[in-house]
Amino acid sequence: MTVTLEHIQQASERLYGVAIRTPLLRSAHLNTRLGGKVFIKPECFQHIGAFKFRGAYNRLSQIEESCKKAGVVAFSSGNHAQGIAYAAQLLGMPATIVMPTDAPEIKKEGTKNLCATIRYYNRFTESREDIAADIAAKTGAILVPAFEDVDIIAGQGTCALEILQQLDEEKLSIDHLLSPVGGGGLLAGSSTTVKSMSSSTKVYGVEQENFEDHYLSKQAGKRVAVDGTKATLCDALMATTPGELTWSINSRNVDDYLVVSEDAVAHAISYAFRYLKIVVEPGGAVALAALLQGKLDITGSSAAIIVSGGNIDRETFESCLNKHPSP
Amino acid sequence: MTVTLEHIQQASERLYGVAIRTPLLRSAHLNTRLGGKVFIKPECFQHIGAFKFRGAYNRLSQIEESCKKAGVVAFSSGNHAQGIAYAAQLLGMPATIVMPTDAPEIKKEGTKNLCATIRYYNRFTESREDIAADIAAKTGAILVPAFEDVDIIAGQGTCALEILQQLDEEKLSIDHLLSPVGGGGLLAGSSTTVKSMSSSTKVYGVEQENFEDHYLSKQAGKRVAVDGTKATLCDALMATTPGELTWSINSRNVDDYLVVSEDAVAHAISYAFRYLKIVVEPGGAVALAALLQGKLDITGSSAAIIVSGGNIDRETFESCLNKHPSP
């Protein structure tokens, strides 16, 4: 079982007119600073403020009529939750979301506003997998994983498909694509797109320190886990080990992994406020952070970065700005 | 002397490949909240973070070779300053900017970074017109006004031209266009575009309280001035009377003026952070504020709003977010 460009193209058709075709932004300031050309894909402008709607809608829109009434269940710190909740709302299905009590307020509120039922759990004492499985068993709801699913991955792959289409419309191409990586769904979909359509483009996954399970897995030549108990700003990138399915794809497609510090993430958020005028959440800022920190030298070349989401609490945002007042 | 669609189309050709073609954003949240369809033109993504680059480049790119060496001089609280400074840099001309000492730090720093010479003045004791005229006389530099100029207005008019083109690409149209209005350059250019290309679309200028000189001028049937000493968040909209040239255009084209409170502006900035994920400066937020406050009912209809800039100091931004934590 794997994901092909055809899956992604089909997903793109399902999402046509439903998902937002987010623009491709550029910044003279950023280009000058890095000595190369950067294209920014701001998925913070996607429905629910993150790319997750793409995969969620692609998956849910294929659920058969007879199964719709029982609805869906998912677990997530917030963006997958909102993606599922909004897709379910559009498709007229009930949705139950299993969320950690310490998820960002903005993500809890967003999920609630989308009329989903929320079951909170304690990340340190309860198993979200067990809770979700229990709900699925009792209600008949379909459990929709955040990344270990062909349709979810194919949906996320439409993000890179749009990037390449948008570049192509201007007769442009890119040398590098950088994507955040948590469980690996966005990266698996995006790398499949890129390696199928623009094979000379190098693909990088970017992680934050202490959660560099993909980086370590590549070193080890197999999936390894990090301990995952360290605090991180990047609530969206807290998976402790690559998914089995996503890793089978990413280990084939991804050229390298870059790791950024927590402070670099805060700096990138402040930079995006100051110069790009976009609101970026920590997990969405890692690819920008990697470039700003010189983790990849793009002098004289071109790169696209996926800014995967913008759901950040006011307090966290202000703290990043205050830490880096002159980014 | 007036501005025609032809001027604006020529400006558009001059700006092609130089200015950023900012996208047209949409938000399901905003549409649901207002019961209509809203298209957001985020000029905060334009070079220097505001639409002002359009007019500046259109004007400066027409300066004859023999006059380039003496350069240009302009006065501005910040966005026209940066627009002129960046256009001059691209065209290899020196630029001197006369700026008030109390301009936002972000605008002072931005102008300095663009290698312009800055002459600060005290808004309450000095005349910026006299200072700029003096510099022009001594150096031979060309004085470039912020809005009382056909080429400046034509450049700003490319913003609405892009909106209509972008809508047309999707076979869409709009019932209303809302633009911030300070001196009236953006509104004059935009209203000329709209009335020439989409005559059934109504055009509104939006001002903040205490600076509603356009609103009052329309009531009076002639240009009137406000006192302009009141404090305002909207540093970009502090002109106290409509320009003579801009008013001759706007009094013909603009259907009505809307006035929003300072608090509504802060609320709109917080809303844009929370739901649109864009960074908006106070003067850039007035059209959004007008819709959010119901100053224009767009139920069942469609509107485009120009978000004219994003150059806001961190402290002001945080204060808006803190005043309206749940926008």
Side-chain angles (χ1 to χ4, degrees):
Chain A
M1 192 174 58
T2 191
V3 176
T4 64
L5 182 61
E6 206 186 346
H7 288 129
I8 295 166
Q9 286 164 331
Q10 287 164 352
S12 176
E13 282 163 33
R14 282 183 206 107
L15 290 169
Y16 183 78
V18 183
I20 287 178
R21 190 186 201 232
T22 56
L24 207 53
L25 303 179
R26 53 208 85 186
S27 152
H29 190 277
L30 186 58
N31 289 348
T32 303
R33 180 131 158 188
L34 299 175
K37 261 195 186 160
V38 184
F39 302 93
I40 303 149
K41 184 73 169 169
E43 284 294 298
C44 43
F45 302 154
Q46 188 52 261
H47 292 313
I48 68 100
F51 73 97
K52 291 280 189 181
F53 174 76
R54 295 175 183 270
Y57 189 87
N58 187 47
R59 175 70 185 86
L60 267 57
S61 64
Q62 294 179 71
I63 290 176
E64 282 177 36
E65 207 50 45
S66 60
C67 301
K68 276 191 173 176
K69 217 174 140 184
V72 291
V73 58
F75 46 83
S76 154
S77 88
N79 282 338
H80 178 55
Q82 292 182 81
I84 292 290
Y86 188 51
Q89 195 183 48
L90 291 181
L91 294 160
M93 284 183 236
T96 305
I97 309 293
V98 183
M99 279 184 104
T101 46
D102 61 350
E105 285 305 320
I106 190 173
K107 294 182 179 177
K108 291 190 210 172
E109 188 199 307
T111 309
K112 207 162 52 188
N113 288 348
L114 292 165
C115 309
T117 305
I118 304 182
R119 161 67 163 90
Y120 289 110
Y121 76 100
N122 182 317
R123 279 203 297 123
F124 303 101
T125 59
E126 293 183 276
S127 155
R128 60 186 192 173
E129 288 82 358
D130 291 352
I131 298 170
D134 189 52
I135 293 169
K138 279 184 187 148
T139 63
I142 295 173
L143 179 65
V144 184
F147 47 85
E148 286 289 89
D149 181 288
V150 169
D151 294 313
I152 293 285
I153 294 171
Q156 322 302 31
T158 61
C159 178
L161 183 63
E162 280 179 15
I163 293 176
L164 296 183
Q165 287 168 342
Q166 287 165 319
L167 289 167
D168 191 59
E169 285 162 15
E170 298 189 57
K171 305 205 190 324
L172 295 168
S173 62
I174 41 165
D175 301 307
H176 315 280
L177 177 99
L178 289 79
S179 165
V181 54
L186 176 62
L187 184 61
S190 295
S191 66
T192 299
T193 301
V194 171
K195 292 300 174 183
S196 310
M197 293 177 65
S198 176
S199 58
S200 66
T201 299
K202 298 215 166 184
V203 177
Y204 305 83
V206 190
E207 300 171 299
Q208 79 278 36
E209 59 186 352
N210 300 322
F211 288 82
E212 70 275 52
D213 46 298
H214 282 81
Y215 173 80
L216 295 172
S217 297
K218 183 174 159 73
Q219 305 293 314
K222 61 171 185 189
R223 291 165 64 224
V224 299
V226 295
D227 115 307
T229 56
K230 294 260 172 58
T232 176
L233 279 172
C234 308
D235 63 276
L237 306 180
M238 287 177 71
T240 53
T241 184
E244 213 168 314
L245 172 60
T246 56
W247 182 248
S248 74
I249 298 167
N250 287 326
S251 60
R252 197 171 62 224
N253 288 341
V254 177
D255 293 280
D256 213 347
Y257 293 93
L258 310 171
V259 181
V260 296
S261 69
E262 291 283 314
D263 192 56
V265 170
H267 172 267
I269 289 169
S270 185
Y271 181 91
F273 164 77
R274 171 69 182 82
Y275 294 106
L276 308 180
K277 312 297 179 190
I278 57 177
V279 176
V280 184
E281 68 176 274
V286 293
L288 175 61
L291 290 186
L292 287 170
Q293 301 299 319
K295 296 286 174 186
L296 180 71
D297 181 5
I298 62 154
T299 312
S301 67
S302 58
I305 57 174
I306 299 176
V307 166
S308 53
N311 293 320
I312 180 169
D313 280 342
R314 176 174 56 89
E315 294 83 355
T316 309
F317 192 73
E318 293 179 4
S319 128
C320 294
L321 266 47
N322 296 348
K323 253 183 235 161
H324 295 278
S326 300
Chain B
M1 192 173 58
T2 191
V3 176
T4 64
L5 182 61
E6 206 184 348
H7 288 129
I8 295 166
Q9 285 164 332
Q10 287 163 353
S12 175
E13 282 164 32
R14 283 183 205 107
L15 290 169
Y16 183 78
V18 183
I20 288 177
R21 190 187 203 236
T22 56
L24 206 54
L25 303 178
R26 53 209 84 187
S27 152
H29 190 278
L30 187 58
N31 289 347
T32 303
R33 181 133 158 185
L34 299 176
K37 262 196 184 158
V38 184
F39 301 94
I40 303 150
K41 184 72 169 170
E43 284 294 296
C44 44
F45 302 154
Q46 187 52 263
H47 292 312
I48 67 99
F51 73 96
K52 291 281 189 181
F53 174 77
R54 296 177 183 267
Y57 189 87
N58 186 48
R59 175 72 185 83
L60 267 57
S61 64
Q62 294 180 72
I63 290 175
E64 282 178 34
E65 206 53 43
S66 61
C67 301
K68 276 191 173 175
K69 217 174 138 184
V72 290
V73 59
F75 46 84
S76 152
S77 88
N79 282 338
H80 178 57
Q82 293 181 82
I84 293 289
Y86 188 51
Q89 194 183 49
L90 291 180
L91 293 160
M93 284 184 237
T96 306
I97 307 293
V98 183
M99 278 184 104
T101 46
D102 61 350
E105 285 305 320
I106 192 174
K107 294 183 178 177
K108 291 190 208 172
E109 188 200 307
T111 309
K112 209 162 53 188
N113 288 347
L114 292 166
C115 308
T117 305
I118 304 182
R119 161 69 162 86
Y120 289 110
Y121 75 100
N122 182 316
R123 279 201 298 125
F124 303 100
T125 60
E126 294 182 278
S127 154
R128 60 186 193 173
E129 287 83 358
D130 291 351
I131 298 169
D134 189 53
I135 293 170
K138 279 184 184 147
T139 63
I142 294 172
L143 179 65
V144 184
F147 47 84
E148 285 289 272
D149 181 288
V150 168
D151 294 313
I152 293 284
I153 294 171
Q156 322 302 31
T158 62
C159 178
L161 184 63
E162 281 179 15
I163 294 175
L164 296 183
Q165 287 168 342
Q166 287 165 320
L167 288 167
D168 190 59
E169 284 162 16
E170 298 188 57
K171 306 205 190 323
L172 295 168
S173 63
I174 41 165
D175 301 307
H176 314 281
L177 177 98
L178 289 79
S179 165
V181 54
L186 175 62
L187 184 61
S190 295
S191 65
T192 299
T193 301
V194 171
K195 291 300 175 182
S196 310
M197 293 177 64
S198 176
S199 57
S200 67
T201 299
K202 298 216 166 185
V203 177
Y204 304 84
V206 189
E207 300 171 299
Q208 80 278 36
E209 58 186 351
N210 300 321
F211 288 82
E212 68 275 55
D213 47 299
H214 282 81
Y215 173 80
L216 295 172
S217 297
K218 184 175 159 72
Q219 305 292 317
K222 62 174 184 184
R223 290 165 64 224
V224 300
V226 296
D227 117 305
T229 57
K230 294 259 172 57
T232 175
L233 278 172
C234 308
D235 63 276
L237 306 181
M238 287 178 70
T240 53
T241 184
E244 215 168 311
L245 172 60
T246 55
W247 182 249
S248 73
I249 298 167
N250 287 327
S251 59
R252 198 172 59 224
N253 288 341
V254 176
D255 293 279
D256 214 347
Y257 294 92
L258 311 171
V259 182
V260 295
S261 70
E262 290 284 313
D263 193 56
V265 170
H267 172 267
I269 289 170
S270 185
Y271 182 90
F273 163 78
R274 171 67 182 84
Y275 293 106
L276 308 180
K277 312 297 179 190
I278 58 177
V279 176
V280 183
E281 68 176 274
V286 292
L288 175 61
L291 290 187
L292 287 171
Q293 301 299 319
K295 297 285 174 185
L296 180 72
D297 181 5
I298 62 154
T299 313
S301 67
S302 58
I305 57 174
I306 299 177
V307 166
S308 53
N311 293 320
I312 180 169
D313 280 343
R314 175 174 55 88
E315 294 84 354
T316 309
F317 192 74
E318 293 178 4
S319 127
C320 295
L321 267 46
N322 296 348
K323 251 182 236 161
H324 295 278
S326 300

